[in-house]
Amino acid sequence: MADKTVNEDFQRLADPFRRELLAHCYRMLGSVHDAEDLVQETYLRAWRAYDRFEGRSSLRTWLHQIATRACLTALESRSRRPLPTGLGSPSADPGDTLVEQPEVPWLEPIPDAMVGAERSDPAAIVTARESLRLALIAALQHLPPRQRAVLVLRDVLQWRAAEAAEVLRTTAPAVNSVLQRARAQLDSAAPSEDDIVEPTAADQRELLDRYVLAFENKDIPAIVKLFTADAVWEMPPFTAWYQGAEDIARLIDTQCPAQGPGDMRLVPTQANGQPAFGLYMRSEDGVYRPFNLPVLTVTASGVAHVACFFDLRLFEKFGLPATLPAGPWPATH
């Protein structure tokens, strides 16, 4: 009976932190699938050690300590998760043959619904979204694991240097030194939030409506108008990336299998605090099947970046339908 009571007590107290621990592990690992595994491992480790938890720190802090150490151990045997832009190659010609590398452990997006970035109080929403931006997660992948951990603990979770030092089994001065190096490297790899001027809510809705309409009609001139002049398009597991509205439109015109209006359908969702879609392609039987999952960076000047993820396992993670029925699409525009 005592063991059952302890187990129920642990679950009741620890479960409320599951979403933020998932976000924490995702920032460290860059994969929603790996992050889920590490959260499970964190709870298993914590449950086994719960009878030794002395309460010197809060339960939340203790769980984050366990999660951070579990992530650092996991990262010892894993390579970083890049996007195509992080491979060091220049932008490609849209007419070039697409090269696919499915064996690369690519960066993955995470659904807002899984990490609570779509609700809670307004201040928490802003913080969660900024710390989960796709560009930031991609930039974190360029940091060595310990630098990554220090940056997340200090700058995202707002831990004191001494608290981070306890997790990493080092000293506060050492943590501050690592943090300086991490910030310097991150500044060179990630765009500043100041560089991303978001549109008003109404302007964003109008732009996203135009985005859906342009793609569902495969309207190339309309697609050109969606993007900023120096916009970037990438689509792991394909290694190339493309820059500029004209090149992006030419890529879609010549490489996208959709033949014309009605071949694509887009279902809205949210990823990394950003607008995203489940994109479906019409099959020969008329049924629409998952094709890719684009995540958009929207600015006041237009769409500045699109990362299209072709890992179709993501559709289930995002709660998107396995198929869309054949026939007329509901009028949503």
Side-chain angles (χ1 to χ4, degrees):
M1 178 64 72
D3 286 346
K4 182 181 179 182
T5 302
V6 168
N7 186 42
E8 290 175 349
D9 188 43
F10 171 76
Q11 289 184 333
R12 176 179 58 83
L13 295 173
D15 274 355
F17 303 109
R18 191 172 292 272
R19 282 187 172 193
E20 64 176 279
L21 287 168
L22 180 64
H24 179 62
C25 292
Y26 172 71
R27 292 182 190 103
M28 290 290 296
L29 300 166
S31 161
V32 61
H33 295 93
D34 289 355
E36 283 186 307
D37 290 344
L38 265 292
V39 168
Q40 288 300 106
E41 183 176 334
T42 295
Y43 274 87
L44 182 59
R45 289 187 187 186
W47 176 74
R48 286 173 174 167
Y50 187 55
D51 61 340
R52 300 191 298 277
F53 174 57
E54 299 175 350
R56 287 182 299 147
S57 62
S58 69
L59 182 63
R60 174 178 180 264
T61 298
W62 185 61
L63 289 169
H64 275 87
Q65 289 174 341
I66 296 171
T68 303
R69 288 171 182 158
C71 287
L72 287 171
T73 300
L75 286 167
E76 290 175 1
S77 59
R78 305 181 197 192
S79 56
R80 70 183 181 92
R81 287 182 170 271
L83 285 173
T85 45
L87 297 179
S89 301
S91 59
D93 187 301
D96 292 346
T97 302
L98 295 177
V99 177
E100 187 175 1
Q101 287 192 4
E103 70 280 2
V104 172
W106 297 101
L107 190 74
E108 296 173 357
I110 194 166
D112 281 12
M114 290 181 70
V115 290
E118 87 295 0
R119 59 185 185 178
S120 169
D121 65 274
I125 290 172
V126 170
T127 301
R129 287 180 176 174
E130 287 182 355
S131 66
L132 287 167
R133 294 289 190 198
L134 204 58
L136 174 62
I137 303 301
L140 285 173
Q141 292 293 304
H142 290 274
L143 300 179
R146 284 176 68 83
Q147 284 190 21
R148 202 181 306 175
V150 167
L151 192 89
V152 171
L153 292 173
R154 295 281 279 116
D155 285 358
V156 177
L157 297 182
Q158 300 292 306
W159 282 21
R160 298 189 306 274
E163 292 175 308
E166 183 180 351
V167 176
L168 299 172
R169 298 185 172 96
T170 185
T171 64
V175 162
N176 288 331
S177 176
V178 170
L179 180 62
Q180 282 188 325
R181 293 197 301 273
R183 284 174 174 168
Q185 188 164 343
L186 194 71
D187 286 344
S188 66
S192 164
E193 281 295 321
D194 295 337
D195 297 335
I196 301 173
V197 181
E198 296 193 4
T200 64
D203 286 344
Q204 175 166 300
R205 282 195 301 270
E206 188 270 336
L207 178 60
L208 295 176
D209 285 346
R210 287 196 291 118
Y211 188 95
V212 171
L213 200 59
F215 274 81
E216 291 189 348
N217 288 327
K218 202 177 181 185
D219 182 343
I220 301 304
I223 287 173
V224 172
K225 294 177 182 177
L226 294 168
F227 292 92
T228 61
D230 58 352
V232 168
W233 179 283
E234 50 191 332
M235 43 188 193
F238 299 98
T239 57
W241 60 279
Y242 309 87
Q243 187 161 31
E246 295 287 346
D247 274 8
I248 292 170
R250 187 154 65 93
L251 175 78
I252 295 161
D253 187 24
T254 59
Q255 304 275 19
C256 175
Q259 298 299 305
D263 281 351
M264 289 185 276
R265 294 287 181 250
L266 278 71
V267 176
T269 185
Q270 289 282 132
N272 297 75
Q274 301 169 226
F277 297 95
L279 192 153
Y280 295 76
M281 196 71 65
R282 183 160 56 187
S283 305
E284 289 184 3
D285 59 4
V287 174
Y288 292 88
R289 291 184 167 82
F291 185 66
N292 65 36
L293 197 149
V295 179
L296 283 59
T297 300
V298 176
T299 72
S301 305
V303 179
H305 183 272
V306 176
C308 292
F309 296 92
F310 279 80
D311 182 352
L312 300 185
R313 297 176 302 164
L314 292 169
F315 276 67
E316 183 178 359
K317 290 293 180 198
F318 277 80
L320 292 163
T323 61
L324 299 177
W329 185 240
T332 56
H333 317 301

